[in-house]
Amino acid sequence: MTYNNSFSAGSAADIYINTPVNRSFTYKIPEQMNLLTGMRVVVNFSGREMTGFVSAIHNNLPEGIELKDIVSRIDDEIIYDERIIRLAEYVSESYLSSVGEALGKALPSGESSRSRPRASRVSHIENSRIDLTDKQKSIYDRIMSSGKKSHLIFGITGSGKTEIYMSAAIDAVSKGLSVIYLVPEITLSSQIHARLYKVFGENLIVYHSQLTQNQRLANWKRFYKGDAMIAVGTRSAVFLQCPKLGLIIVDEEHDSSYKEQSTPRYNARRIAFYRGETENATLILGSATPSIETLYAAERGVIELHKLEERYGDGKLPVIEIVKLQNSNEEITPRLKMYTNRAIKDGKQAVYLLNRRGFAPFVLCGDCGCAVECPDCSIGMNYHRGKGMLCHYCGYSSDVPLNCSACGSESILKLGSGTQKIEEIISKEFPDYRIFRLDQDSARKKDTVYDLLDMMHKREIDILLGTQMISKGFDFHGVTVAGIIMADIGLNMPDFRATEKIFSLLMQLSGRSGRGESEGRVIIQTLNEEHLIFDYLKRQDYLGFYREELKIRKLINYPPFTRIARIVIRGKSEESVSQSAELLTIDMKRLVTEQYSGIMVLGPSPAPLSKIGGNYRYHIILKGKRLNELTAFVKTAIDSFKSKAVYIEIDIDPVDML
DNA sequence: AGCACGCCGACT
DNA sequence: GTCGGCGTGCTC
C-alpha cells in the first residue's frame, strides 16, 4: 500500500472540522499557501475560527457557493495521511459521531514548538533479551507462530505478563515494525515506562494527557515518521500512526478507562482489534481479570486464549480472608489491625482500599433526615475536610449548612466514611506508622504520585491508603497486607456491570500483596459476607466468577449475549426532556415493527443520575443481537428525530448506565 | 455544537 | 410601541 496522494496540487481543499455536521467542507487555498493533504489548518467556520483537517486537495470548485479562504496553516509538514481518515470513518460509523469529531479525538492538537525536538537516531535495541520462564516462553512461542492475530493473556496478578509483552515488542521492532503499548489512564504507568525505556531508549515515545499538547504533537510526529518505533500511552494512543504497525498491546484490557466518555465514545480496545485486523498487526490483550466480553470471545475462539496460572519467580498467591463488619461504624477490624501490626513490625507495608474519597459521604439532618443535595445534580454532596461540601459530579462546593433547609434544625450529621476520615482513624489507631493517602484530591498535586512511588520503594511509608487508584499497576515488593475497608461500596450500583467491576477491583487489589518473597494476606471487610462474589474471591477463582456471572447475563439478556446502546436525552427543562424521550421512544418502537425486528427498546426512564450540572436526564436502553443492526437502527432513529430543545447523547457499548 | 434569524409576551 | 424569550436551521 502506498499513500502518495498527499502531494496532489490544487486550489481548493476538502476539510473536516470537529463539529457534529458529518461531512467535509471545501475552502479556497490562498495563492501563496503551500498546502498538502495531511496538514491541519485554521478556518473560519460559521463565524468562528476552528481547526480543520485537510483530507483532499483538488480543483473541483462546487457551484453556487462562495468559498471562504483558509485562514492559516498550522503544520509545516505532513502529520497524517488518508489512513487516519479511514480510521476516523470507522469510528464515526461505529459510534455515530461525525468524521470531524473522530478526527478531533484521533489527531494531536498542539503546535510545533520553536525548540527543535532533539535529533533522534533510529537506535538499535541494546542487546536486550528478556529472560522468560518456560511457561512464558511457551505462550510467547504460541503467539509468534499462531495463525490468529488477536490474543488474550489471562494471567493472574504477578504472573509476568509484562515480560511476554516486551519480548513481542522487541521482536516487532527488530523486524522494523512499530508497536503501540496501551495502559490504563494512570500516572502510575511511569513504572512500565521506565522498564520500556531501559530496553528501547530513544526508540520509545509516550503519549498521554499529562503531556503538554506540544509535547504530544512532537511525539506524534516522531512515531508517524518512524523515528521512534514503540509508543506507550493511554486510550488516545490507539490512534497513533506509523509507517507499518506490527503489534498492539492492551494491558489491563478490562479497565474502563479505555472507554472514552464523550462523543465519539469509542473503546480503545475495539479500535485496537480493528487496527489489528485491517493493518495485519498482532493484538495482545492482557489481564488477571479479563472483561466478561473478552473472555467470552476467547472461549469462543474469536481471539486466542493463553493462561498463566502461576506467579512469576518465588511469588506465592496471598491468603484471602473475608471478615464481617459488625456494623457500618466499624472501620478497622481486629483481624486487619493484627496483620497490619505484624507486617509493619516485620519491616513490611500495608495497602488499604476504600473506594470513596472525601471525609463523609452522607450529610443529613438529624431531625428530618433530609440529605444535603447538590443544587445542580440529583445527588447528595460529600463533606471534604477543609473544603466543606462538594458535589462529586459537577464539582459544585459550598459551606456546610448551619441548619437543615427543610426543617431548620441545627442538627447536621456527617455520616459514613471516605478516605480522609479513614486516614484520621488509622492515624489514631497506629500513631507511630507513616501513612500516605492517595485519591483524586491528593493526586491533583503535581508530584504526589512520583513522591509516593519513591517513598513506597524506600519503605518510607507503612500504610498506603487510597481509592481504586491504588489497585492499578503498582508493583511494590514490600507489601504483604492488603485491607479492603468496605467491600460493599459499589456493589449495589444500578449497573449490570457493577459486580464485575467490584470483583476485578478487589481481585486486582489483592494482587498487590505478597509480590515479594513473603506471603501476602488480604483482609476483605464487608457487611454482607454472604454475597456470592466472596466465595470466588477467597479462592481467587476468576474463572468460577466468570461462569456464574455469565449465567446471570444470559438470564437477563445482557452482554456478551446481546449488544447495548444507550440514548441519553438531556436538557434544562424536565418537561421537554421527558416529552422528547417519550416521542423518541414511540418513533423507535414504530421503527422496530416496521423494519428492525431484532431490536428491543427499553424505557424511557429517568437516568439513575436524573440531573447533572443542571441538566435533566432520561435514557432509553436498546438491545440487539448484532452490533451492525443496532448501530444502523440508532442512526436511522436519531436522524429522523428532529427536536432541538434537548441534547441527545449516543453511547454504543456503554460501560456504565448512570 | 454554536450562532443567527425570526416570530410572540412584559416593559418604559 | 420596543427588548428579548428560545424554537428552527445552517455552517464551505
Side-chain angles (χ1 to χ4, degrees):
Chain A
M1 263 189 282
T2 53
Y3 302 96
N4 53 6
N5 68 337
S6 298
F7 296 94
S8 50
S11 57
D14 288 345
I15 290 172
Y16 282 107
I17 293 157
N18 187 349
T19 170
V21 189
N22 194 13
R23 45 170 291 219
S24 62
F25 293 87
T26 309
Y27 285 79
K28 255 193 324 221
I29 304 172
E31 282 292 315
Q32 71 294 355
M33 188 182 285
N34 181 20
L35 189 68
L36 302 171
T37 305
M39 292 175 173
R40 294 165 305 154
V41 291
V42 175
V43 292
N44 191 302
F45 181 71
S46 182
R48 11 191 196 133
E49 294 210 330
M50 298 193 76
T51 296
F53 310 105
V54 178
S55 67
I57 291 177
H58 55 78
N59 282 310
N60 323 320
L61 304 182
E63 276 175 43
I65 306 170
E66 187 64 25
L67 295 187
K68 287 185 184 168
D69 269 8
I70 291 169
V71 175
S72 61
R73 208 179 65 174
I74 296 173
D75 299 305
D76 51 15
E77 59 184 323
I78 291 168
I79 67 160
Y80 61 88
D81 51 61
E82 67 172 17
R83 291 173 298 170
I84 195 123
I85 310 282
R86 299 288 94 80
L87 191 57
E89 283 167 355
Y90 170 75
V91 172
S92 146
E93 285 156 23
S94 308
Y95 292 99
L96 301 178
S97 74
S98 70
V99 174
E101 286 171 320
L103 283 170
K105 286 272 158 64
L107 287 167
S109 54
E111 291 181 31
S112 305
S113 53
R114 296 278 152 260
S115 58
R116 298 299 306 161
R118 61 183 175 279
S120 55
R121 63 205 151 83
V122 175
S123 53
H124 300 283
I125 304 170
E126 339 257 324
N127 264 348
S128 43
R129 291 236 5 253
I130 306 283
D131 284 326
L132 299 179
T133 62
D134 289 350
K135 195 75 195 132
Q136 290 170 325
K137 180 85 170 58
S138 89
I139 291 179
Y140 172 76
D141 288 342
R142 262 162 54 216
I143 291 174
M144 287 302 144
S145 60
S146 164
K148 277 223 168 61
K149 286 199 278 285
S150 304
H151 304 267
L152 167 65
I153 305 179
F154 174 19
I156 60 171
T157 51
S159 61
K161 297 181 281 292
T162 313
E163 287 76 16
I164 303 176
Y165 304 151
M166 289 180 67
S167 303
I170 290 168
D171 176 78
V173 172
S174 71
K175 289 176 180 152
L177 302 172
S178 300
V179 177
I180 298 174
Y181 191 133
L182 298 182
V183 293
E185 193 119 50
I186 39 168
T187 13
L188 319 174
S189 55
S190 56
Q191 280 185 315
I192 183 63
H193 175 245
R195 284 184 78 176
L196 290 170
Y197 189 80
K198 234 184 225 166
V199 175
F200 294 100
E202 294 302 308
N203 233 335
L204 174 73
I205 61 140
V206 291
Y207 199 77
H208 55 69
S209 59
Q210 246 118 38
L211 301 177
T212 67
Q213 294 190 334
N214 294 355
Q215 288 172 328
R216 272 167 77 101
L217 177 64
N219 291 349
W220 169 280
K221 286 182 182 174
R222 290 189 57 209
F223 198 65
Y224 178 64
K225 292 178 196 159
D227 288 347
M229 296 296 285
I230 172 161
V232 59
T234 50
R235 185 170 67 234
S236 62
V238 79
F239 294 113
L240 282 164
Q241 297 290 298
C242 50
K244 177 87 185 86
L245 186 63
L247 173 67
I248 308 182
I249 294 155
V250 184
D251 193 19
E252 309 295 355
E253 68 82 30
H254 63 280
D255 199 286
S256 55
S257 67
Y258 287 122
K259 174 84 173 174
E260 172 70 45
Q261 290 296 4
S262 64
T263 312
R265 295 171 164 257
Y266 68 88
N267 192 321
R269 198 174 65 199
R270 178 168 164 201
I271 310 296
F273 184 82
Y274 175 78
R275 288 192 71 176
E277 295 284 313
T278 53
E279 297 178 44
N280 199 28
T282 303
L283 171 69
I284 304 179
L285 308 173
S287 177
T289 54
S291 65
I292 305 272
E293 281 99 326
T294 301
L295 199 46
Y296 187 67
E299 289 204 316
R300 283 166 51 244
V302 180
I303 52 187
E304 194 170 328
L305 177 62
H306 310 271
K307 285 190 200 161
L308 265 176
E309 291 166 305
E310 284 154 33
R311 275 202 161 176
Y312 185 61
D314 302 326
K316 288 189 193 66
L317 276 180
V319 176
I320 298 186
E321 274 183 46
I322 312 294
V323 179
K324 185 172 168 54
L325 288 165
Q326 293 312 307
N327 56 62
S328 54
N329 292 324
E330 189 176 19
E331 322 282 358
I332 312 290
T333 58
R335 294 296 286 174
L336 180 54
K337 192 173 174 185
M338 182 191 84
Y339 279 108
T340 303
N341 278 324
R342 194 183 281 179
I344 295 170
K345 295 237 161 67
D346 244 15
K348 307 294 185 198
Q349 297 161 299
V351 295
Y352 285 5
L353 171 86
L354 180 69
N355 200 14
R356 191 184 263 159
R357 67 194 182 97
F359 191 87
F362 311 110
V363 180
L364 40 88
C365 170
D367 285 327
C368 73
C370 256
V372 178
E373 279 211 351
C374 172
D376 296 326
C377 307
S378 59
I379 193 106
M381 292 175 77
N382 291 51
Y383 171 66
H384 278 243
R385 170 122 301 181
K387 263 202 249 174
M389 309 300 298
L390 183 73
C391 172
H392 283 181
Y393 283 87
C394 72
Y396 174 86
S397 66
S398 65
D399 291 339
V400 179
L402 295 174
N403 33 33
C404 173
S405 61
C407 73
S409 160
E410 288 178 14
S411 153
I412 301 291
L413 308 177
K414 304 187 185 91
L415 304 179
S417 13
T419 43
Q420 293 176 347
K421 183 163 165 189
I422 296 295
E423 180 184 26
E424 197 175 283
I425 288 167
I426 57 181
S427 313
K428 281 184 195 143
E429 193 84 47
F430 307 113
D432 301 330
Y433 298 164
R434 297 157 299 178
I435 295 159
F436 195 105
R437 194 190 91 228
L438 182 72
D439 52 30
Q440 224 186 99
D441 306 289
S442 69
R444 224 189 302 276
K445 277 177 244 132
K446 187 140 187 7
D447 290 320
T448 303
V449 173
Y450 297 100
D451 292 350
L452 164 68
L453 290 174
D454 196 45
M455 289 165 76
M456 278 302 278
H457 285 124
K458 288 192 191 140
R459 310 278 173 102
E460 291 167 5
I461 296 171
D462 298 311
I463 302 176
L464 168 62
L465 161 73
T467 54
Q468 56 183 325
M469 281 180 143
I470 64 166
S471 71
K472 296 186 179 186
F474 281 114
D475 194 11
F476 298 131
H477 288 250
V479 174
T480 56
V481 172
I484 286 133
I485 303 297
M486 175 102 151
D488 311 70
I489 297 173
L491 265 181
N492 297 315
M493 292 283 254
D495 177 350
F496 72 92
R497 265 186 259 262
T499 324
E500 178 186 352
K501 279 182 192 162
I502 299 298
F503 193 91
S504 64
L505 172 64
L506 299 186
M507 195 142 169
Q508 292 281 346
L509 189 88
S510 303
R512 301 303 124 201
S513 99
R515 291 185 157 229
E517 62 292 339
S518 320
E519 189 180 72
R521 173 76 53 165
V522 181
I523 306 293
I524 298 181
Q525 307 185 151
T526 172
L527 287 166
N528 177 17
E529 85 283 13
E530 308 277 289
H531 198 292
L532 183 91
I533 64 170
F534 296 125
D535 256 357
Y536 294 109
L537 256 179
K538 211 162 24 185
R539 297 199 299 272
Q540 296 168 69
D541 179 11
Y542 188 77
L543 214 51
F545 165 74
Y546 161 79
R547 298 209 189 291
E548 195 63 40
E549 182 67 15
L550 208 59
K551 276 189 223 156
I552 298 170
R553 299 284 181 89
K554 178 140 205 168
L555 207 67
I556 60 177
N557 194 27
Y558 266 92
F561 300 101
T562 191
R563 302 301 286 260
I564 288 189
R566 179 183 186 230
I567 315 295
V568 175
I569 300 99
R570 70 175 160 88
K572 297 275 174 220
S573 140
E574 188 170 13
E575 299 92 272
S576 58
V577 169
S578 76
Q579 259 173 42
S580 299
E582 202 64 57
L583 288 176
L584 180 56
T585 306
I586 292 168
D587 278 8
M588 286 179 159
K589 286 185 171 159
R590 197 193 53 236
L591 210 53
V592 167
T593 46
E594 283 169 3
Q595 200 183 340
Y596 290 91
S597 54
I599 305 295
M600 254 177 85
V601 182
L602 305 172
S605 61
L609 284 163
S610 60
K611 188 182 171 198
I612 299 182
N615 281 296
Y616 291 90
R617 311 164 77 241
Y618 275 63
H619 68 180
I620 303 168
I621 307 297
L622 306 168
K623 289 180 178 177
K625 268 273 163 273
R626 292 181 8 257
L627 186 61
N628 288 346
E629 189 191 16
L630 183 62
T631 313
F633 171 79
V634 175
K635 189 173 163 54
T636 314
I638 300 294
D639 280 353
S640 64
F641 188 72
K642 292 270 189 290
S643 168
K644 281 286 194 162
V646 292
Y647 297 95
I648 291 179
E649 290 166 9
I650 301 168
D651 195 347
I652 308 285
D653 287 335
V655 292
D656 65 57
M657 311 266 245
L658 302 178

